[in-house]
Structures are given as structure tokens and as C-alpha cells.
């Protein structure tokens, strides 16, 4: 056990995880970023979905300064965050069979688009069905999950499969089952989750790859700028207008 205080221990643990994904997921990050670039170049649209706290990483890449303007949030009412009352309802909805179908049927997703699905465990019905049904529509799917859950837990979907089994590309966050990095004799349960830190970093690495790949192809990446820098609003207005038919968070 390190003699560092818990704050330092947690940051060290997060850094170790970030180093692991940097080194072990380099090829899949490159593949995911290239897929996003291909989608943009070919006229497709980009979407991100996450339930519960996984939605934080999805929201982090939507309408974000320095990010791709074409990334849209695929929202499922009741599971986007902890604002629903009671908060436990969101967890319950993730296990409801058929919800993904209803969402996709009323969404703008179509063949040629790419959907990023974020689910730490990847075991609940909602992310599994979301991936299965999206691919059936001709949508490419990037899954961001902890592969460890597929070997250490049981699927909650009737198929017995996990999110990772229905993706074109899988990014493994390396998060241990339970998502708690620290233990202390004086604390009765493991604590200090790192999944949000690592998942957000993975996705931003994918976005960076996509932007650079488009630029390498001679295509200006559709990036947003901060509204808090001079000229930012004007820049964003131009980008949002240019790609208005592929952006859905304005409507």
C-alpha cells in the first residue's frame, strides 16, 4: 500500500489506467478515429449514447469546444443522468427489454451513420440491444466498455451477450469490475471510481484522431471553438450552418 494519501493514490491509479489505455488501445483508438473521419467524409452523421454515469462521457463529446460539431447525443429519456427522480429509475430502465428499439425507431439514425455506445459493464439490455439494432440498420457501432465485465459477470440480456459482442470496434477502458480504485481497512467498501476519467480520455483521443485524419485528407475538420474566445461564436455559427443537416442538438 502506498504511503500517499487517498487523493494521491487515486490520481496515481487514474494515471496508470490512462497509460494502459494509451499503450494497449492505441490501434483501436486509431481505428475508431478513422471510422469517424470516414463517416464525416462520406456524409454520415455521428451519435453518442450512454446511460447513467456513462452518459457523462457521451455528453462530453457533444457541442464541445475543441470537439467535432457533428457529434450528436442519442438521448433516452430517464437514463441520461441522475436528474430523473428517483435516480434508481435510470438503472432500472437500462434493464428493460425493447427500450432500445423504441428509441432507435424515433431517432434520426440511418444507414451510413456511426454510433458510439458507452457502457462500463456492457451487460444490461439497453446498450446490448442498442448495438444490435443499430447495426441491423446499417449503422457502424463503436463500443466503449470494460471487457473484464464480460468474463467476471453475467449478461442481463436474453441473448447472454455483452455490448462488446455487437460492435464494429471495441475500446476497452480496463476498468476493474466494481469501478473502485481504492480500499482502506477503515472503509467498509471499495471507493474512488475512475471510469469517467478514463472513458472521457479515450473518447477525446478518438476525436483528436478523427480531426487529424480529416486534415490529413485535405478536409477541414468540423470543429467547434470556445464561445469564450474572441471570434468563437462567429466561428461556430459558420460551422453549425455549414453542417446544419447533420446536427440535431440545435432543434
Amino acid at each position: 500500500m502506498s504511503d500517499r494519501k487517498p487523493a494521491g493514490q487515486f490520481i496515481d491509479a487514474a494515471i496508470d489506467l490512462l497509460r494502459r489505455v494509451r499503450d494497449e488501445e492505441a490501434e483501436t483508438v486509431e481505428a475508431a478515429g478513422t471510422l469517424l473521419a470516414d463517416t464525416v467524409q462520406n456524409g454520415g452523421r455521428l451519435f453518442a449514447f450512454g446511460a447513467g454515469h456513462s452518459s457523462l462521457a457521451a455528453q462530453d463529446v457533444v457541442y464541445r469546444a475543441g470537439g467535432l460539431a457533428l457529434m450528436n447525443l442519442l438521448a433516452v429519456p430517464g437514463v441520461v443522468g441522475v436528474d430523473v427522480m428517483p435516480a434508481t429509475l435510470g438503472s432500472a430502465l437500462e434493464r428493460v427489454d425493447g427500450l432500445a428499439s423504441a428509441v432507435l425507431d424515433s431517432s434520426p439514425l440511418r444507414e451510413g451513420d456511426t454510433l458510439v455506445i458507452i457502457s462500463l459493464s456492457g451487460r444490461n439490455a439497453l446498450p446490448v440491444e442498442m448495438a444490435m439494432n443499430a447495426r441491423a440498420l446499417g449503422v457502424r457501432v463503436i463500443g466503449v466498455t470494460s471487457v473484464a465485465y464480460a468474463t467476471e459477470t453475467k449478461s442481463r440480456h436474453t441473448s447472454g451477450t455483452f455490448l462488446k459482442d455487437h460492435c464494429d470496434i471495441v475500446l476497452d477502458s480496463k476498468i476493474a469490475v466494481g469501478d473502485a480504485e481504492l480500499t482502506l481497512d477503515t472503509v467498509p467498501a471499495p471507493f474512488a471510481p475512475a471510469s469517467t476519467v478514463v472513458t472521457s480520455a479515450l473518447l477525446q483521443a478518438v476525436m483528436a484522431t478523427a480531426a487529424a485524419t480529416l486534415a490529413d485528407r485535405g478536409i477541414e475538420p468540423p470543429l467547434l471553438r470556445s464561445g469564450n474566445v474572441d471570434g468563437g461564436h462567429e466561428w461556430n455559427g459558420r460551422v453549425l450552418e455549414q453542417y446544419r443537416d447533420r446536427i440535431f442538438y440545435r432543434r
Side-chain angles (χ1 to χ4, degrees):
M1 175 66 72
S2 169
D3 59 1
R4 284 183 178 271
K5 292 183 177 181
Q9 292 175 19
F10 172 75
I11 291 174
D12 286 345
I15 290 171
D16 288 344
L17 284 164
L18 289 171
R19 285 175 173 151
R20 280 193 65 192
V21 297
R22 178 196 64 192
D23 297 338
E24 298 174 22
E25 296 300 300
E27 290 186 8
T28 50
V29 167
E30 185 72 22
T34 300
L35 175 55
L36 294 189
D38 291 344
T39 305
V40 172
Q41 184 174 2
N42 294 331
R45 293 87 58 79
L46 309 177
F47 295 85
F49 164 76
H53 285 92
S54 291
S55 71
L56 296 175
Q59 293 176 62
D60 191 50
V61 294
V62 176
Y63 190 52
R64 182 64 192 263
L68 294 173
L70 272 60
M71 184 60 69
N72 300 278
L73 184 67
L74 182 63
V76 178
V79 305
V80 175
V82 294
D83 57 335
V84 62
M85 296 295 288
T88 51
L89 175 61
S91 297
L93 289 173
E94 286 188 68
R95 299 192 290 273
V96 173
D97 293 331
L99 180 56
S101 295
V103 170
L104 288 175
D105 286 347
S106 60
S107 79
L109 269 168
R110 67 187 185 193
E111 184 177 0
D113 294 344
T114 294
L115 171 62
V116 179
I117 300 177
I118 305 149
S119 174
L120 178 61
S121 72
R123 68 190 295 227
N124 290 312
L126 183 55
V128 173
E129 289 185 359
M130 189 75 76
M132 294 173 65
N133 295 348
R135 292 182 85 190
L137 292 172
V139 174
R140 303 293 295 276
V141 175
I142 299 170
V144 188
T145 187
S146 169
V147 174
Y149 277 83
T151 58
E152 299 180 39
T153 69
K154 292 183 178 180
S155 171
R156 288 175 173 153
H157 187 251
T158 54
S159 67
T161 61
F162 288 75
L163 169 61
K164 74 173 187 63
D165 300 315
H166 305 284
C167 298
D168 297 282
I169 299 170
V170 176
L171 296 172
D172 183 4
S173 64
K174 318 294 181 182
I175 300 294
V177 173
D179 192 16
E181 294 300 318
L182 302 183
T183 58
L184 282 176
D185 294 340
T186 55
V187 178
F191 60 103
S195 60
T196 303
V197 174
V198 177
T199 302
S200 290
L202 267 173
L203 284 176
Q204 292 299 349
V206 170
M207 299 301 139
T209 301
T213 300
L214 286 168
D216 287 344
R217 296 174 181 177
I219 301 169
E220 180 182 329
L223 296 170
L224 295 172
R225 301 191 69 178
S226 171
N228 295 312
V229 300
D230 291 342
H233 287 300
E234 291 76 14
W235 172 283
N236 292 342
R238 175 182 65 82
V239 173
L240 294 174
E241 177 61 23
Q242 181 179 352
Y243 292 97
R244 65 182 183 277
D245 59 330
R246 297 156 75 180
I247 294 172
F248 300 93
Y249 50 79
R250 300 180 69 195
R251 301 174 183 177

